[in-house]
Amino acid sequence: MEEERRLIHQGFMTTPSEDALIQKKMKTFGLRKKSAFFRAMVLNGYILKLDLPEIRELLRLMKNLANNVNQMAKRLNEQGNIYETEMDGIQQRMDELWNTMNQILTKLEGSKE
């Protein structure tokens, strides 16, 4: 498949303050070329970059919870019982998950404004 060449030049004028804002947004999105930034904005309508450490924490908590549930299931299959403290641990991890998800939703809702 042959790559299509860009032959048509697009251009427009900005004020110095608008240019500073463009530079700031390009830096935020890790883009060095204005042409790449402008193409992304015009063709895609927007650029979205989410860096939410809460999501990484959410994944960590989910893996931890899944491991605990698997250990409980294994013990239940082998011994026919589980400990109440294990159930309490599961509930605690579920609460941590809900709190983290609520933090993420609050942060996302705040970014709409």
Side-chain angles (χ1 to χ4, degrees), residues 57-107:
E57 174 66 8
L58 182 65
L59 291 175
R60 185 191 70 76
L61 290 170
M62 289 174 74
K63 287 178 186 177
N64 192 323
L65 178 63
N67 287 338
N68 286 0
V69 169
N70 285 336
Q71 289 171 1
M72 286 175 51
K74 183 179 178 182
R75 182 174 295 114
L76 187 60
N77 285 332
E78 290 173 352
Q79 300 175 3
N81 64 3
I82 55 175
Y83 300 111
E84 187 174 333
T85 55
E86 289 176 315
M87 290 301 294
D88 292 341
I90 295 294
Q91 184 61 51
Q92 179 183 353
R93 283 178 179 67
M94 286 296 297
D95 292 341
E96 290 175 24
L97 278 170
W98 280 112
N99 289 335
T100 304
M101 285 192 286
N102 283 329
Q103 288 174 3
I104 292 169
L105 288 174
T106 299
K107 191 170 186 176

Side-chain angles (χ1 to χ4, degrees), residues 15-26:
T15 65
S17 61
E18 289 171 333
D19 185 60
L21 183 58
I22 290 168
Q23 294 292 333
K24 181 180 176 185
K25 287 186 178 193
M26 285 174 54

